[in-house]
Amino acid sequence: VTVVGINTSTQAVYRADFSFTYSRVGSATATAVGAVATALNVRTSLTAGTWGGASIALSTNSVIVQVQGLAATNIDWKCSFNRIQCV
């Protein structure tokens, strides 16, 4: 998962890449396989290091991407998924 946030007034950019694996077998709840998802290759420009932030959480069978912005500021967030495999 790649998360990119752009401050629409200053053009400051926050970007983080995540690599993780979750598995769900049968009717069981999904669980993390290996390490928990953490932000990798975090890159920022201008002041984005002071407001940017992203995390991945698992809730039942949903993968939740949470982002952190800046109060009273428009941040244009984009999230892309590099690969989803269902077996």
Side-chain angles (χ1 to χ4, degrees), residues 17-42:
D17 299 313
F18 293 84
S19 179
F20 58 90
T21 301
Y22 289 121
S23 176
R24 180 172 180 253
V25 178
S27 61
T29 301
T31 57
V33 176
V36 176
T38 56
L40 307 170
N41 303 319
V42 175

Side-chain angles (χ1 to χ4, degrees), residues 55-86:
S55 63
I56 304 285
L58 187 63
S59 175
T60 313
N61 294 320
S62 299
V63 175
I64 300 169
V65 178
Q66 293 180 308
V67 295
Q68 174 183 321
L70 184 62
T73 305
N74 290 326
I75 306 294
D76 182 14
W77 288 102
K78 296 197 178 355
C79 182
S80 63
F81 297 86
N82 302 323
R83 179 177 178 188
I84 297 176
Q85 180 176 351
C86 298

